[in-house]
Each structure stands twice: as C-alpha cells, then as structure tokens.
C-alpha cells in the first residue's frame, strides 16, 4: 500500500514517502515521511506492523518515526508489549543521533550502506543495496511467495538498478537524473 510519495513535503491531504509491504502474513513499513503515519493508521492496525525499514535519514523519508515512537510508548503505557524492529542507516551521524534515542520504542538495527547485503526482516529474505543520493541511502529488494518487490528510494541513475528492477514484479523507483540514451 502506498501511504505517500511526495517530496520534500506533502501536498494537502497527502504524505511524503511511505509504503506498507504485506507478504506471508507480515507487514514491513518502508519509510515514514511527513504525513505517512496518519495514512498508515487509516489502512491497518499499527499492532500488525512487523518491522520498519528506513532507506535514508532525510525527513521526507523518516520524520514520522517520531509519531510512531509516541504510539509505541503509549501502547506500552496501556500494558501492551510492543517493540518494533527498526532497520536504518546510521549516517549522517547527526541525524542518526536523534534515532539512537528512540531505543525506548524500537529495536534498532544498523544497515550498511557500502554495498549489497542480505538481511532477514520479519522473516522475509531481503537484499539491501546502495543507491546514488547525497546522503547514504539504501534500496530494498524483498522476495517472498515467488514474487519480488524492489524499492530504490531516492537515487540518481545507476546501471545496476536496471538488473534489480527488471527482475521485479513490483519496482518502486525514484530516479532523479535523466536516463542515458
């Protein structure tokens, strides 16, 4: 489900980047920019989110983590046992320091931005890959139930994206530069 795709700020009644990937009874929240938290609550019970993946630390991709954190802490005050796994890059350092304080609500997992890596997120086989953006940014490829989903997040052109996306059943890509001719 698309929660939003606006950048760098949402249009009226819209949201910045946010997606909910549902497969095999699991739900991975992919990015949570301005306004995406409200859209998420409108389409699913927040208790059903299995994990959160943040591609990079620009606000239009992660600002509403503050809202999700407050929801988790509120649910705990009501006696619920909620702690979401949060997968995120740790750079730029000054932006990550804000998230580092969110360990009271999230089980924080640092994802590498150097090269391709394999990761298990909520029991799903995922590949993390570096994209071309001014801050360290990770794309996400998920294979489940014979289907492949690829999310590039923000990126300039990179030849390897063609291979990643061409084998995908559902590519979601934000390429910022003109494609080579």
């Amino acid at each position: 489900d698309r929660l939003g795709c606006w950048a760098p700020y949402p249009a009226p009644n819209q949201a910045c980047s946010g997606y909910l990937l549902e497969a095999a009874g699991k739900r991975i929240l992919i990015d949570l920019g301005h306004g995406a938290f409200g859209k998420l609550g409108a389409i699913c019970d927040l208790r059903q989110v299995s994990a959160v993946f943040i591609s990079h630390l620009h606000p239009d991709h992660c600002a509403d983590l503050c809202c999700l954190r407050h929801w988790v802490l509120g649910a705990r005050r009501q006696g619920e046992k909620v702690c979401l796994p949060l997968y995120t890059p740790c750079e730029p350092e000054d932006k990550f320091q804000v998230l580092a304080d969110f360990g009271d609500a999230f089980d924080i997992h640092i994802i590498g931005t150097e090269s391709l890596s394999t990761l298990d997120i909520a029991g799903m086989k995922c590949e993390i890959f570096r994209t071309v953006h001014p801050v360290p940014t990770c794309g996400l490829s998920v294979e489940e139930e014979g289907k492949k989903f690829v999310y590039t997040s923000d990126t300039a052109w990179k030849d390897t994206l063609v291979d990643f996306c061409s084998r995908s059943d559902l590519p979601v890509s934000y390429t910022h530069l003109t494609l080579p001719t």
Side-chain angles (χ1 to χ4, degrees):
D1 290 310
R2 184 183 83 190
L3 306 174
C5 62
W6 288 85
Y9 54 86
N13 299 312
Q14 298 296 317
C16 286
S17 293
Y19 300 87
L20 186 63
L21 178 65
E22 300 179 57
K26 303 288 184 171
R27 290 181 169 161
I28 299 176
L29 178 57
I30 302 170
D31 283 344
L32 197 60
H34 305 287
F37 178 78
K39 300 286 185 179
L40 175 64
I43 64 168
C44 83
D45 181 337
L46 297 173
R47 291 165 194 83
Q48 297 172 338
V49 173
S50 306
V52 181
F53 173 86
I54 299 297
S55 63
H56 66 289
L57 300 180
H58 277 159
D60 60 324
H61 289 261
C62 67
D64 276 8
L65 279 173
C66 295
C67 300
L68 184 58
R69 175 182 180 233
H70 286 292
W71 177 85
V72 168
L73 295 175
R76 285 185 182 168
R77 284 190 296 275
Q78 300 296 319
E80 295 185 45
K81 294 182 181 191
V82 181
C83 185
L84 286 172
L86 169 63
Y87 297 83
T88 180
C90 63
E91 300 174 84
E93 178 67 26
D94 61 326
K95 305 286 188 236
F96 178 72
Q97 284 309 308
V98 173
L99 294 184
D101 290 339
F102 287 11
D104 57 352
F106 301 108
D107 179 15
I108 300 174
H109 300 266
I110 306 300
I111 52 176
T113 57
E114 297 79 37
S115 61
L116 181 68
S117 61
T118 302
L119 192 61
D120 179 290
I121 299 178
M124 292 187 216
K125 178 185 170 193
C126 301
E127 287 183 293
I128 310 298
F129 57 94
R130 176 75 187 256
T131 68
V132 181
H133 198 49
V135 300
T137 303
C138 295
L140 176 69
S141 171
V142 180
E143 286 191 58
E144 191 64 41
E145 300 174 345
K147 301 287 184 186
K148 183 175 180 181
F149 167 84
V150 175
Y151 176 66
T152 68
S153 186
D154 294 348
T155 188
W157 177 259
K158 185 176 178 180
D159 288 342
T160 56
L161 293 176
V162 174
D163 188 43
F164 259 104
C165 292
S166 68
R167 293 179 286 123
S168 172
D169 295 289
L170 180 62
V172 178
S173 181
Y174 297 102
T175 306
H176 290 292
L177 299 178
T178 305
L179 302 177
T181 55

